[in-house]
Amino acid sequence: MNMPIVEITTTKAELGMKTSRPPLEIRQPPADIEINQHFNDTVEISTKAAKVNIDQSEAFADADLIPPLQQGDQFAAKAKRTAMEYVAKKAQEGEQLKAVEKNGGGGKAIAAIAKENGKLIEKQVELGFTPESAFKVKFDAEPGDISFQVERAEADINVQKNDPEINIPRWEIQHYLKQKPSIEFHVSGEQINRRL
């Protein structure tokens, strides 16, 4: 007796997978920069004038240009000296006239005194300089001073940074049934008694 043959045909299930990977997007906005430039520097200049003191008192004294009080003192001293010399001279002449017995009746003494007083005043002329020396003029100098103070006009720079803009899209994976599973039965051979 031939047994029936059951043929079973199956189909495997197949899964499919679909992926979506959009690219990463990065955008960097430029920084915001604000610059204010002041074009004028400030310069302050301070000066102190030089001082020169000139003492010409000795040079003026050489030229008989002296202060009135000092000149009065010199005139008084010279007048006193001249008066004393004159008194001394007259006393000497008196002594000569008094000694009559020595000068032959006084005529010789009078002639000698007249001859002495009748002389012309002799002056000697010499080359001179007023003042006698350049070193009689004294100089005293205080140097001047100059100072600078500069205030530079710096630029005002204000920088505002901007953060990068990053866009990361979601990656997605989709699963689906690409092929359904199936099973088929096929019986070949003699008839099957389906009765139980």
Side-chain angles (χ1 to χ4, degrees):
M1 170 177 158
N2 290 335
M3 295 291 295
I5 299 171
V6 179
E7 295 179 358
I8 301 172
T9 305
T10 60
T11 303
K12 294 180 180 179
E14 292 184 9
L15 294 177
M17 188 173 61
K18 184 188 282 186
T19 60
S20 174
R21 293 186 180 183
L24 174 71
E25 294 180 0
I26 299 177
R27 179 179 170 273
Q28 176 62 65
D32 297 327
I33 300 176
E34 182 180 348
I35 300 175
N36 293 323
Q37 175 65 55
H38 308 285
F39 294 101
N40 296 326
D41 293 342
T42 303
V43 180
E44 293 183 5
I45 302 174
S46 300
T47 59
K48 177 185 174 185
K51 291 183 180 179
V52 179
N53 298 320
I54 302 174
D55 184 5
Q56 304 181 80
S57 57
E58 291 186 26
F60 286 154
D62 282 355
D64 286 335
L65 299 173
I66 55 178
L69 293 178
Q70 186 179 353
Q71 195 171 28
D73 292 341
Q74 288 182 359
F75 283 156
K78 185 176 180 181
K80 183 178 180 181
R81 190 172 54 251
T82 304
M84 295 303 288
E85 289 175 358
Y86 180 77
V87 169
K89 183 178 178 184
K90 293 304 173 187
Q92 184 183 4
E93 290 176 358
E95 290 295 329
Q96 288 177 359
L97 291 175
K98 189 171 68 170
V100 176
E101 71 281 358
K102 294 180 181 178
N103 54 26
K108 289 183 181 180
I110 294 173
I113 292 171
K115 183 178 179 182
E116 183 67 26
N117 291 336
K119 286 183 179 179
L120 294 175
I121 299 174
E122 295 181 4
K123 294 283 185 180
Q124 292 184 353
V125 178
E126 295 180 0
L127 179 62
F129 298 95
T130 302
E132 293 178 358
S133 170
F135 296 106
K136 290 195 174 183
V137 179
K138 297 177 182 177
F139 295 91
D140 181 23
E142 294 180 13
D145 186 30
I146 184 168
S147 62
F148 296 88
Q149 185 175 359
V150 180
E151 183 179 343
R152 295 195 59 188
E154 301 288 347
D156 296 332
I157 302 175
N158 186 16
V159 179
Q160 180 68 39
K161 69 173 185 176
N162 293 319
D163 294 330
E165 297 175 0
I166 302 174
N167 183 18
I168 304 175
R170 182 177 177 144
W171 288 7
E172 293 182 355
I173 299 176
Q174 295 179 349
H175 298 277
Y176 64 93
L177 188 60
K178 186 175 182 182
Q179 179 177 314
K180 292 181 179 181
S182 65
I183 185 168
E184 291 182 3
F185 298 94
H186 183 67
V187 179
S188 62
E190 293 188 7
Q191 294 291 328
I192 299 174
N193 186 3
R194 296 189 181 188
R195 289 184 294 172
L196 293 173

